[in-house]
Amino acid sequence: MSNSFHRLIQLLRLRRVGMRLALSYALLLILFSIVLLLPISQIRNMTARNEQFARKEVQSLLYVQELSVATENVGRALLQFLTVPYEQRVPEYTIVDEKNRRIDQLISDLEASLSDDEQLNSLKLLKQKRAIYQQHYLDTVNQLEDEGQDAAKTSFSTRVKPALDALLEQSKIFLKREQELIQAHQAEAQMELEKTGTMVAMLSVFGVILAALLAWLTTRSVVRPLARLETSALQIAKGDYQTRFIPSKTEEVARVGEALNTMAEAISIREQTVERLAYYDSLTGLPNRTLLLKTHEGQGLPHQGFILMDLARLKVINETLGFDTGDTVISDVALRLKTVISKNTASQTPWLARLAGGAFAILCHDVSKAALEDLHQRIDAAMDEPVRCGQHSVDVSLVYGFAITAAAPLPLMTLIRNAEVALYAAKRSANSSAWYTDAQEASRLTHLSLLSDLRSAVRGSELQMWLQPKLYLQSGKAYGFEALVRWQHPVRGFISPAEFVPFAERTGYISMLTMWMLEQAIVTLKNWQDKYPGQTIAVNVSTHDLRDTSFPDQIAALLRQYELNPKLLKLEITESGIMEDPGSTIELLNRLRAIGLDLSIDDFGTGYSSLSYLQRLPVSELKIDRSFVIDIDQLPATQGLVKAIIEMGHGLGLSVIAEGIETAAERECLRQLGCDSMQGYFASKPLYGEGLQKWLDALASHAAD
């Protein structure tokens, strides 16, 4: 029975709110249609019955009333008939007979129209009394003709008049009964009308109750599930994605609930995915820096150790074998680190995380310096085996930075920073590992302060442009200078270029130094045009400058501003800087050459340039590095190498200059090898200020001689 009921509900789709509402409105419409049609039907019935009543009962009443009048009239007519003279009787006969016939006709009409049994009985009595009256009337008429008026009057008084009164009385009884029937009919119609009103009122009350019941059922089947839906949605909005909406019997609400449950599940999956992307490395599955800080920040404890590791030569692996190989190496290193960590015997398992690139971190709790060294050795041992990447076998090694807390705890961020300082110290010293020390912190702080001081130095004229002369080897005549930057700090005093130039390159401020040097060189050359015509100044250009596509435009703007011949300004580019991105660099060098600048390859022989690229470079000069010049007069093999470089340069149509010449023997050897020019302490140290002016004055006097 229950299954049949459920199948019926399913068949009728009563679980749908739309179907329920449709049925509810249909029931209400039917009910109110009944309420409306029932009175109309009753009124129509009453109207039809009233019409029938008007046709029969009222007509009967009229017949009875007319019968009573006709009976009275016939009495008066008969009495008139008995009192008139003989010669006037014939017309009176006609009148009396006509009235008698009318009485008979009315009785016949009543007999045809009556349906009430009591009235039919009364009509029967009326007919009988009519017959008695008719007989006495005929007898009286005969007596009138035979015996005269007196005998007829006596007979009328004794026989006809009583019979006629009886007939009149019976007609009145008949009339009264007919009136009673009409009143009864009216009472019945009134009762039916009241009954109809009561039924309409009851149906209306039933309709209101039914409407209220349907509204309550609809509200109960919709509002309550919607309230539960709202509660579930609010729970989901608060982050409780395990909340599930209990299925409702209402189909539409059930579908919305299923959609809400599906949405909660999808959001939960996306939330987990987002959380995993936010807190875990997608390549290795290890926690990332964000999760490391979130888990351990604010839990600084004594005797914590932190190891920061960086995969050596990862950039070379990516550039040589591809990023897929690099990812394989990173994944393999992560797996090895997990294996080492899992075998750790400490009470608390170290926390392994992957940071950016090839960097990994290990946070150890309750450890000593010896324990970190032991872990370091086990990790190094795990890295001995090369990583197999398809057909390639890649050796892996890590560079380590160690930091540890003593009795006083440190915030995790401070511990990470200390390990990072130690790691960079290891890289700068070309060691595989380094421990954090206060000296490293002081050096780091010094470099940080250099950043703001360097900006101030450019604006405050703390930088100086020193010039080192270049001379032809055959004639000894000076033809130009190389510009070298120096920094005279107002507090720290002289700061070596070896300290702040690499720092400027790492931080991106080298372009600011380059543009300052270029402007100083152009201004100086502009001032020399009259006194020292033909002298050139060469400015060193960094690798960072060669990546800036706007660099040629900036130089061209300076030359236009000071109206200087571009041939007087030279640019020196390192060989390694050219080979970092040969295609883009050659394009930029061609733009510089198009301006009219002479270009020189600095430190030639120390890089890895290809001859195929060398012949495409728009340069006019090769500069042999100082490492080939030192004691060249005593090194035959070096002489052969330098001679080959000089001949190659000449073969490409380039002039060749050697830098770092400090002795006459070195100068003479290079001259014999065919080198064109020289630069070094043997000719002159870098000059500035008064010393430079004296050298220039001597140059001018020598030119005058």
Side-chain angles (χ1 to χ4, degrees):
M1 181 65 181
S2 177
N3 291 335
S4 300
F5 178 71
H6 285 299
R7 283 198 298 271
L8 178 61
I9 290 177
Q10 188 68 29
L11 179 63
L12 296 178
R13 296 184 175 180
L14 294 181
R15 296 187 184 277
R16 292 188 178 183
V17 175
M19 182 59 69
R20 293 183 185 180
L21 291 175
L23 289 177
S24 300
Y25 286 124
L27 287 175
L28 290 176
L29 183 61
I30 291 171
L31 183 60
F32 285 110
S33 298
I34 292 173
V35 171
L36 179 64
L37 294 176
L38 181 61
I40 296 175
S41 176
Q42 289 295 100
I43 291 171
R44 285 183 176 178
N45 290 335
M46 290 176 64
T47 302
R49 289 164 62 183
N50 288 335
E51 288 178 355
Q52 184 180 4
F53 173 78
R55 285 195 306 270
K56 297 182 66 176
E57 300 297 332
V58 174
Q59 187 64 43
S60 298
L61 178 63
L62 294 174
Y63 287 160
V64 173
Q65 288 177 340
E66 188 177 354
L67 178 63
S68 297
V69 173
T71 302
E72 291 178 351
N73 289 336
V74 79
R76 288 192 296 271
L78 185 60
L79 183 61
Q80 180 71 23
F81 171 76
L82 293 175
T83 58
V84 296
Y86 177 78
E87 60 274 6
Q88 296 179 1
R89 289 178 186 172
V90 174
E92 293 295 332
Y93 269 129
T94 305
I95 293 172
V96 172
D97 289 341
E98 180 64 30
K99 292 185 181 295
N100 285 332
R101 282 194 299 272
R102 181 57 184 164
I103 290 173
D104 291 339
Q105 181 63 44
L106 288 173
I107 291 173
S108 297
D109 291 339
L110 281 173
E111 189 175 15
S113 64
L114 292 179
S115 60
D116 182 66
D117 292 338
E118 187 175 348
Q119 285 290 78
L120 289 173
N121 290 330
S122 296
L123 182 62
K124 185 177 181 181
L125 290 175
L126 185 66
K127 289 172 68 177
Q128 290 175 357
K129 292 183 181 300
R130 170 73 178 86
I132 292 171
Y133 156 73
Q134 183 67 25
Q135 184 61 43
H136 288 326
Y137 165 71
L138 292 175
D139 291 342
T140 300
V141 170
N142 291 330
Q143 192 176 8
L144 175 64
E145 295 296 332
D146 295 338
E147 298 180 8
Q149 290 183 339
D150 292 334
K153 288 181 180 179
T154 302
S155 180
F156 175 79
S157 299
T158 58
R159 296 177 59 188
V160 176
K161 183 69 169 56
L164 190 60
D165 290 340
L167 178 61
L168 182 60
E169 184 65 26
Q170 187 63 40
S171 67
K172 290 180 178 179
I173 293 171
F174 196 90
L175 177 61
K176 183 178 179 181
R177 176 59 185 167
E178 193 65 31
Q179 290 174 341
E180 289 176 353
L181 286 175
I182 291 174
Q183 290 175 353
H185 176 78
Q186 290 176 342
E188 183 182 355
Q190 182 65 30
M191 288 180 62
E192 288 184 2
L193 184 61
E194 291 177 357
K195 184 179 179 180
T196 301
T198 302
M199 186 176 296
V200 169
M202 291 176 63
L203 286 174
S204 299
V205 172
F206 177 71
V208 171
I209 294 174
L210 180 61
L213 179 62
L214 291 174
W216 178 78
L217 290 175
T218 303
T219 302
R220 185 173 179 270
S221 63
V222 175
V223 174
R224 289 185 181 180
L226 288 179
R228 294 201 303 271
L229 275 174
E230 180 183 10
T231 302
S232 299
L234 290 175
Q235 290 296 112
I236 293 171
K238 291 178 182 178
D240 182 8
Y241 303 121
Q242 302 306 315
T243 296
R244 292 294 181 269
F245 176 73
I246 300 174
S248 171
K249 293 181 180 180
T250 305
E251 186 173 332
E252 290 89 344
V253 178
R255 289 204 301 268
V256 175
E258 290 175 4
L260 186 66
N261 292 338
T262 303
M263 181 188 72
E265 185 176 354
I267 292 176
S268 177
I269 293 173
R270 284 197 292 271
E271 187 82 5
Q272 293 173 5
T273 303
V274 170
E275 183 176 356
R276 184 158 191 86
L277 291 174
Y279 295 124
Y280 291 88
D281 174 54
S282 58
L283 179 61
T284 63
L286 292 174
N288 59 16
R289 182 188 184 96
T290 303
L291 184 57
L292 174 66
L293 293 173
K294 180 181 178 182
T295 306
H296 300 284
E297 185 62 30
Q299 302 179 9
L301 298 172
H303 309 297
Q304 280 186 321
F306 197 86
I307 306 176
L308 187 62
M309 299 162 284
D310 194 21
L311 184 60
R313 301 183 303 280
L314 178 61
K315 182 179 179 181
V316 176
I317 294 172
N318 286 333
E319 292 178 349
T320 306
L321 302 178
F323 285 93
D324 290 343
T325 302
D327 289 345
T328 302
V329 172
I330 291 173
S331 299
D332 192 272
V333 169
L335 185 61
R336 297 184 190 188
L337 289 173
K338 288 180 186 178
T339 303
V340 173
I341 294 297
S342 65
K343 295 179 181 179
N344 195 70
T345 57
S347 57
Q348 285 186 287
T349 303
W351 223 83
L352 175 64
R354 185 200 172 191
L355 308 185
F360 296 88
I362 299 177
L363 176 63
C364 302
H365 300 280
D366 195 18
V367 295
S368 62
K369 192 171 183 178
L372 285 186
E373 287 287 1
D374 176 67
L375 182 59
H376 169 211
Q377 292 175 6
R378 288 190 286 118
I379 292 173
D380 264 351
M383 301 299 158
D384 285 343
E385 187 72 20
V387 177
R388 294 295 305 175
C389 303
Q391 299 178 351
H392 304 285
S393 180
V394 181
D395 290 326
V396 294
S397 61
L398 298 174
V399 182
Y400 302 83
F402 301 99
I404 197 168
T405 62
L410 290 175
L412 180 60
M413 283 297 295
T414 303
L415 198 60
I416 295 175
R417 183 200 64 186
N418 293 347
E420 192 169 4
V421 170
L423 176 66
Y424 286 132
K427 289 182 177 181
R428 283 196 302 271
S429 59
N431 293 324
S432 62
S433 64
W435 284 86
Y436 172 77
T437 64
D438 291 339
Q440 294 168 349
E441 177 70 7
S443 175
R444 186 180 66 87
L445 292 175
T446 299
H447 280 83
L448 285 176
S449 64
L450 277 178
L451 185 61
S452 60
D453 289 349
L454 189 56
R455 288 196 293 262
S456 301
V458 174
R459 292 192 299 265
S461 301
E462 296 175 15
L463 299 179
Q464 300 172 352
M465 184 181 70
W466 290 58
L467 299 175
Q468 186 173 29
K470 297 179 179 181
L471 286 74
Y472 291 120
L473 278 173
Q474 297 298 331
S475 64
K477 181 181 179 181
Y479 66 91
F481 301 83
E482 179 182 1
L484 304 171
V485 65
R486 299 289 185 265
W487 186 1
Q488 188 66 35
H489 197 280
V491 177
R492 301 180 186 179
F494 178 76
I495 299 178
S496 170
E499 182 177 0
F500 72 84
V501 170
F503 171 76
E505 289 179 343
R506 288 196 304 271
T507 58
Y509 280 89
I510 191 65
S511 295
M512 179 178 63
L513 288 180
T514 302
M515 294 310 298
W516 185 87
M517 288 289 288
L518 284 169
E519 186 168 9
Q520 292 299 312
I522 291 173
V523 170
T524 301
L525 289 170
K526 180 67 175 179
N527 295 333
W528 284 357
Q529 280 188 336
D530 295 330
K531 287 187 177 182
Y532 317 110
Q535 293 295 320
T536 63
I537 296 180
V539 177
N540 290 281
V541 176
S542 72
T543 304
H544 189 276
D545 296 319
L546 297 178
R547 300 194 198 104
D548 185 1
T549 56
S550 66
F551 182 59
D553 297 331
Q554 296 178 47
I555 297 178
L558 284 175
L559 292 170
R560 287 194 301 270
Q561 179 182 349
Y562 292 99
E563 298 180 351
L564 183 70
N565 182 0
K567 286 293 183 181
L568 300 178
L569 180 67
K570 291 189 176 183
L571 302 181
E572 294 189 1
I573 301 107
T574 59
E575 182 183 8
S576 58
I578 295 173
M579 296 311 300
E580 186 172 291
D581 185 5
S584 299
T585 302
I586 291 174
E587 180 182 352
L588 187 137
L589 293 179
N590 282 320
R591 290 175 58 194
L592 292 171
R593 183 64 176 172
I595 296 173
L597 302 174
D598 283 335
L599 307 178
S600 173
I601 299 179
D602 196 10
D603 302 330
F604 186 80
T606 60
Y608 306 93
S609 60
S610 167
L611 292 179
S612 63
Y613 281 116
L614 184 60
Q615 63 182 351
R616 294 168 51 195
L617 295 176
V619 297
S620 58
E621 182 180 72
L622 289 182
K623 197 169 188 180
I624 300 174
D625 187 70
R626 182 176 180 277
S627 60
F628 295 99
V629 174
I630 299 174
D631 298 328
I632 189 173
D633 56 301
Q634 303 173 21
L635 301 171
T638 303
Q639 293 175 20
L641 178 59
V642 170
K643 184 175 180 60
I645 292 174
I646 293 171
E647 291 177 352
M648 179 190 65
H650 289 163
L652 294 173
L654 308 177
S655 63
V656 181
I657 180 174
E659 62 178 343
I661 298 176
E662 297 184 357
T663 66
E666 292 172 351
R667 183 195 65 177
E668 184 59 27
C669 181
L670 285 165
R671 188 181 64 79
Q672 292 179 2
L673 291 175
C675 186
D676 300 308
S677 308
M678 62 168 287
Q679 178 184 343
Y681 277 22
F682 182 76
S684 173
K685 295 180 180 181
L687 304 169
Y688 178 75
E690 186 179 346
L692 175 61
Q693 191 58 50
K694 288 182 179 180
W695 201 92
L696 289 172
D697 291 342
L699 179 65
S701 62
H702 181 72
D705 294 340

